[in-house]
Amino acid sequence: LQEPSNKRVKPLSRVTSLASLIPPVRATPLKRFSQSLQRSISFRSESRPDLFSPRPWSRNVPPANTKRRDSKLWSETFDVCVNHMLTSKEIKRQEAIFELSQGEEDLIEDLKLAKKAYHDPMLKLCIMTEQELNQIFGTLDSLIPLHEDLLRRLQEVRKPDGSTEHVGHILVGWLPCLNSYDSYCSNQVAAKALLDHKKQDHRVQDFLQRCLESPFSRKLDLWNFLDIPRSRLVKYPLLLREILRHTPNDHPDQQHLEEAINIIQGIVAEINIKTGESECRYYKERLIYLEEGQRDSLIDNSRAVCCHGELKNNRGVKLHVFLFEEVLVITRAVTHNEQLCYQLYRQPIPVRELQLEDLQDGEVRLGGSIRGAFSNNERIKNFFRVSFKNGSQSQTHSLQANDSFNKQQWLNCIRQA
């Protein structure tokens, strides 16, 4: 029997387009990859949204919230009797060691899943070529044995009751092998760009969408899986500090853990530099110069991109702006030979001679013939101005970020440069 209801039910509006089923995606206008590995490589199509418009063959079902694994605690896993065996600090130390071990187990599972559920089927079904898959997946295969080795070592020193006495010496001996991560992380910018480009192929998009809707994916897309190794790399210092925090000063692990933290911090810093250089090379190779006079040695000599992203000028033109170490480059995103490239919009501006001005909301006058028809408060917010004058050469650009937070990021980056 159905219970009577006195609720008013709003009739569903008729769906006239598949696009209406998709929630809007807010583009991130500022990217700061080279600053830290802890920021995930993101290569969203903020500069070319038309490349990723809804396709009639794709399943436009918004994914549910990402499903996380159930976290396992050491004390629950091994049914530890803690009344008279271990102090509170010792329990926390064991929990931290167990979290390190459990994280390795989860990482290995995810890396194998990425190969088995994504790489191998796409290769077998000829959805992508072997060369394309090698570019996207990089050296992921070689990372699996590394983490299997650490997991095996941690399990070997675990006592029958589930406790672990010493881990410092294991980490000191194992961590240097993470230097091999530099090639994987350095490849991520190019890998993400190619993956986003291949999503224009309806077979690729359909395959990835089916995987996303399958239980094994935990509502994570392919790039989430490919980014897991980098996420794990930057988490090691935090995990080791947590173990050290609960390790007594007179414990033999104390010195080894401090040494291990120094090792991993050095590795992350070095990989961060190499990743930044790789990212910088990638974008420099995709700059298109309309004339030789636009070429600048400050661009050629740059080794890192401080930040970049989409901004609009006061006429509403979408621009992709790069802040290299010593030069600001304003471009327009274009497709060239089926690749996303960046055509220089104006002469590069040396950072040393750049004038920066923070503009108040409403201060900018919008250009264009339809200014009066569509002018509103949102259109005149979050502007800043960059200008440059050297002899007869001068430029002025009023640039708009998509929100106040990203405007402030741009201001901070340019001031710091």
Side-chain angles (χ1 to χ4, degrees), residues 48 286 288 333-342:
R48 301 287 289 168
R286 280 153 185 79
I288 298 177
V334 296
T335 302
H336 181 67
N337 293 333
E338 295 189 355
Q339 279 192 334
L340 184 62
C341 296
Y342 304 91

Side-chain angles (χ1 to χ4, degrees), residues 184-417:
Y184 185 81
C185 293
S186 297
N187 178 63
Q188 279 197 296
V189 175
K192 186 67 167 68
L194 179 58
L195 178 60
D196 282 348
H197 174 69
K198 292 301 295 182
K199 285 180 181 178
Q200 299 172 64
D201 183 335
H202 75 277
R203 293 189 69 206
V204 175
Q205 180 62 37
D206 185 63
F207 177 85
L208 295 179
Q209 186 64 34
R210 289 174 186 272
C211 290
L212 187 63
E213 295 169 10
S214 300
F216 71 80
S217 72
R218 308 195 309 280
K219 302 302 178 185
L220 299 173
D221 63 19
L222 173 56
W223 184 251
N224 287 128
F225 284 101
L226 295 177
D227 195 45
I228 283 173
R230 180 207 56 80
S231 302
R232 182 66 178 173
L233 181 66
V234 298
K235 194 175 181 182
Y236 281 120
L238 302 176
L239 291 169
L240 301 193
R241 286 195 193 99
E242 185 65 14
I243 298 174
L244 179 62
R245 192 160 70 93
H246 300 296
T247 300
N249 293 332
D250 58 348
H251 195 287
D253 253 5
Q254 179 82 17
Q255 186 175 350
H256 283 138
L257 287 170
E258 290 176 351
E259 184 181 352
I261 291 171
N262 290 332
I263 292 172
I264 188 59
Q265 286 178 331
I267 291 172
V268 170
E270 183 64 25
I271 292 177
N272 188 42
I273 293 172
K274 291 182 179 179
T275 302
E277 292 174 350
S278 174
E279 175 206 6
C280 187
R281 281 194 305 273
Y282 176 86
Y283 287 119
K284 287 196 295 185
E285 290 169 358
R286 280 153 185 79
L287 293 178
I288 298 177
Y289 300 91
L290 294 177
E291 54 186 53
E292 283 300 310
Q294 290 180 327
R295 295 186 180 274
D296 195 312
S297 60
L298 292 177
I299 298 177
D300 297 335
N301 297 333
S302 295
R303 297 181 61 190
V305 183
C306 300
C307 61
H308 73 95
E310 185 185 278
L311 296 169
K312 292 180 182 178
N313 65 11
N314 61 328
R315 297 182 65 85
V317 177
K318 291 181 180 180
L319 304 171
H320 200 97
V321 182
F322 294 90
L323 177 61
F324 293 96
E325 294 164 299
E326 298 182 33
V327 62
L328 186 78
V329 183
I330 300 175
T331 72
R332 295 186 70 172
V334 296
T335 302
H336 181 67
N337 293 333
E338 295 189 355
Q339 279 192 334
L340 184 62
C341 296
Y342 304 91
Q343 179 179 294
L344 265 71
Y345 182 70
R346 292 289 186 270
Q347 284 292 122
I349 301 177
V351 171
R352 287 184 183 180
E353 301 170 44
L354 181 148
Q355 298 294 319
L356 176 65
E357 186 181 356
D358 184 1
L359 301 177
Q360 298 298 317
D361 291 345
E363 190 174 339
V364 174
R365 181 175 179 178
L366 300 178
S369 59
I370 60 172
R371 173 174 61 89
F374 293 96
S375 180
N376 57 47
N377 291 335
E378 292 303 318
R379 291 190 63 206
I380 54 178
K381 285 183 176 181
N382 309 314
F383 272 92
F384 62 93
R385 182 177 291 140
V386 293
S387 54
F388 161 71
K389 187 170 184 179
N390 185 359
S392 60
Q393 293 185 352
S394 65
Q395 294 183 55
T396 299
H397 303 277
S398 296
L399 302 171
Q400 183 184 32
N402 79 328
D403 58 39
S404 59
F405 175 75
N406 284 290
K407 172 189 172 180
Q408 194 58 49
Q409 282 188 302
W410 273 105
L411 294 174
N412 293 342
C413 285
I414 294 173
R415 285 168 182 157
Q416 187 176 0

Side-chain angles (χ1 to χ4, degrees), residues 32-86:
R32 299 185 66 185
F33 306 146
S34 58
Q35 296 298 92
S36 170
L37 276 173
Q38 296 187 32
R39 292 177 174 84
S40 172
I41 296 293
S42 175
F43 205 93
R44 292 183 180 273
S45 58
E46 73 286 339
S47 55
R48 301 287 289 168
D50 53 301
L51 295 179
F52 305 101
S53 56
R55 307 276 179 172
W57 51 77
S58 64
R59 299 181 178 185
N60 294 312
V61 180
N65 292 331
T66 302
K67 295 180 181 179
R68 301 296 181 186
R69 288 189 178 92
D70 294 332
S71 58
K72 298 179 182 178
L73 296 176
W74 171 77
S75 54
E76 294 175 352
T77 304
F78 295 97
D79 194 23
V80 179
C81 178
V82 298
N83 291 337
H84 49 271
M85 288 175 57
L86 300 172

